[in-house]
Amino acid sequence: MRTETLGESGHLGEIKRGQAIRVAYLIATLELTFLFMQMGVMPYLAKSLGLDSVGFGYLQTTFGVLQLVGGPIFGRFADQFGTRAALILSCASGSAFFLLMSISTSIPLLFLSRLPAVFMHGLPGAQKVITDLTTPSQRADALGKLGLCFGIGIIIGSALGGVLSTKFGGGCPALPPHAWNSLRVSCFLPLTCINRTLINMSSSVGASQSGSVFSIREILRLMKFPGVMEVFIVKVFAGFPIGLFLIMFSIISMDFFGLEAVESGYLMSYFGVLQMVVQGLIVGKLTNHCTERTLLRLSVFVFAGVGLGMALMRTVWHYCIIAVPLVFAFSTLGTITDSILTKAVPSSDTGTMLGICASVQPLTRTVGPAIGGVLYQQFGVSSFGYLQLIVNVGLFVYLLKSKIPLREMKS
């Protein structure tokens, strides 16, 4: 009877963990949808307020810097106060972000609306839930399924953003109810649906943490664990040249490919579908049959091939073909490195590690416009491909010769 009771309680725990993970996927989908929605509306809103292209660049840089600084701090907050508290903080920050954006009637107020972005990290919060509730062998597959959320966010968010910007100009009439819905849905989902006993780790985590949430020393301490610095360097530099290209893509799509705004929207939807298929279905299956070391090397090798293809690219159809291995390499590298890095540190530090990982893209968005603009103006589109090829060939040779300590696991 005792064995049967334990079995029933274990089965109930599995059901609750599954429910919590599904809620995490839902929260990530909502946040990404809202994020891509504001990306579609923001250029028109900024233009209607009299902000020129240089000022808009400063606005985007401000957003990138805040996300860059806030990622590790948000991770430390999750480790010290629990995942539930971190998700509520992220959702509340997102609600304030959209509310301030909807009432922006001047350029200073528009810049002020960027401030809540420092704690707006729903995707790392969802990753923290998954990391807490999955075994190491299941982690890569579960993290990979977040690609479905990303793809849905790109498709729905970009479409809604385009409709709002076309129908309402700057999007101001439609944003107040949008901000209210994000406040109502995003804040109450973590409060009501995620079981406190499953992921609110504040009592056990807080005891093992030392220092302030803003302690840089505690954040940098994680880089000293075996293999962490090496894998993090690969994560940053493997996709950096492609990141520069994607930052400049709005200009490249007009000047190099000759696309109209509607056609660029179709191309973004194509990327969203690829992201859903590759990261949601293919990457998960690969993690069941290949070790993480093999997949890390494979992603870097494919990235090198993507660089060669981009160097030879001439039309938008070439780019559509290159996009398939590009999305595969991006998805595989992001999922595998996140999985490796969270396994390499103690469980009490996984939130901080995920916050550091989440700062990679804001870093590219912060320094990317200046570097990407110089590359494009001086050397053309092919320079992004050659840089991608050179960097990833070097990283691939490094991965073949180095002995990075990894946990060789398959599901």
Side-chain angles (χ1 to χ4, degrees):
M1 186 178 298
R2 176 181 175 83
T3 303
E4 291 177 358
T5 303
L6 289 174
E8 290 175 359
S9 62
H11 179 65
L12 184 60
E14 287 293 331
I15 293 175
K16 289 183 177 180
R17 279 192 288 272
Q19 291 174 345
I21 290 174
R22 284 191 289 273
V23 170
Y25 287 143
L26 178 59
I27 291 172
T29 303
L30 287 172
E31 173 136 339
L32 289 166
T33 300
F34 294 157
L35 185 63
F36 281 103
M37 186 185 298
Q38 70 90 23
M39 285 181 180
V41 172
M42 183 54 64
Y44 297 91
L45 178 59
K47 185 177 180 180
S48 68
L49 295 177
L51 196 65
D52 58 14
S53 57
V54 177
F56 184 70
Y58 290 146
L59 185 69
Q60 295 296 83
T61 301
T62 301
F63 181 80
V65 170
L66 289 170
Q67 288 262 291
L68 174 64
V69 173
I73 297 174
F74 177 82
R76 283 278 296 167
F77 182 90
D79 287 334
Q80 289 201 340
F81 298 100
T83 311
R84 174 199 286 271
L87 280 173
I88 294 173
L89 174 64
S90 173
C91 294
S93 300
S95 300
F97 175 88
F98 288 110
L99 182 61
L100 287 173
M101 178 180 165
S102 67
I103 62 175
S104 294
T105 55
S106 63
I107 293 176
L109 191 56
L110 187 61
F111 273 88
L112 182 64
S113 70
R114 307 290 96 181
L115 287 180
V118 70
F119 294 122
M120 197 171 70
H121 295 278
L123 188 58
Q127 290 175 323
K128 182 72 166 73
V129 174
I130 293 169
T131 302
D132 287 345
L133 301 182
T134 56
T135 62
S137 61
Q138 298 171 332
R139 189 167 300 168
D141 185 19
L143 289 173
K145 287 184 172 61
L146 281 171
L148 289 169
C149 307
F150 199 89
I152 293 171
I154 290 179
I155 296 171
I156 299 179
S158 299
L160 288 178
V163 170
L164 291 177
S165 61
T166 302
K167 193 169 184 179
F168 300 106
C172 295
L175 284 173
H178 166 60
W180 165 247
N181 284 328
S182 66
L183 173 67
R184 182 179 59 181
V185 176
S186 299
C187 283
F188 288 116
L189 274 176
L191 280 170
T192 58
C193 298
I194 297 182
N195 193 309
R196 183 183 299 272
T197 60
L198 288 176
I199 65 171
N200 190 6
M201 308 288 289
S202 58
S203 58
S204 59
V205 173
S208 64
Q209 293 286 327
S210 60
S212 167
V213 171
F214 302 96
S215 174
I216 299 177
R217 180 185 299 178
E218 287 296 316
I219 294 172
L220 296 179
R221 173 181 61 86
L222 301 184
M223 291 298 171
K224 299 178 181 179
F225 284 94
V228 170
M229 180 62 76
E230 294 89 340
V231 174
F232 188 73
I233 288 174
V234 173
K235 182 181 183 68
V236 172
F237 286 101
F240 185 73
I242 292 293
L244 299 179
F245 172 82
L246 295 176
I247 287 173
M248 301 298 299
F249 184 73
S250 58
I251 297 175
I252 293 172
S253 64
M254 291 186 294
D255 296 345
F256 187 76
F257 293 133
L259 299 180
E260 299 292 336
V262 176
E263 295 169 329
S264 296
Y266 291 151
L267 197 58
M268 287 297 294
S269 298
Y270 170 66
F271 264 95
V273 173
L274 282 180
Q275 182 82 20
M276 291 174 62
V277 173
V278 172
Q279 193 166 345
L281 302 177
I282 298 176
V283 175
K285 293 184 180 299
L286 285 177
T287 58
N288 294 333
H289 299 90
C290 303
T291 63
E292 291 176 338
R293 186 188 301 273
T294 301
L295 291 177
L296 182 61
R297 291 172 176 171
L298 176 63
S299 62
V300 172
F301 180 77
V302 173
F303 256 143
V306 168
L308 179 60
M310 289 185 63
L312 303 175
M313 177 178 63
R314 293 294 179 269
T315 67
V316 68
W317 296 109
H318 294 164
Y319 182 59
C320 289
I321 296 172
I322 296 170
V324 178
L326 169 61
V327 171
F328 171 80
F330 246 130
S331 301
T332 305
L333 181 75
T335 301
I336 295 304
T337 51
D338 286 350
S339 178
I340 292 172
L341 291 171
T342 53
K343 294 175 187 176
V345 300
S347 59
S348 59
D349 291 313
T350 54
T352 306
M353 191 72 253
L354 288 170
I356 294 173
C357 292
S359 298
V360 173
Q361 289 187 359
L363 174 64
T364 305
R365 288 199 300 266
T366 301
V367 303
I371 301 175
V374 171
L375 283 176
Y376 181 58
Q377 291 179 357
Q378 299 295 326
F379 306 104
V381 174
S382 61
S383 62
F384 296 101
Y386 286 121
L387 181 61
Q388 179 75 13
L389 176 62
I390 294 170
V391 169
N392 281 274
V393 167
L395 289 175
F396 184 70
V397 173
Y398 169 72
L399 288 174
L400 288 178
K401 293 185 175 181
S402 67
K403 297 181 179 179
I404 301 175
L406 302 178
R407 296 184 182 181
E408 297 290 338
M409 286 188 178
K410 294 184 289 186
S411 295

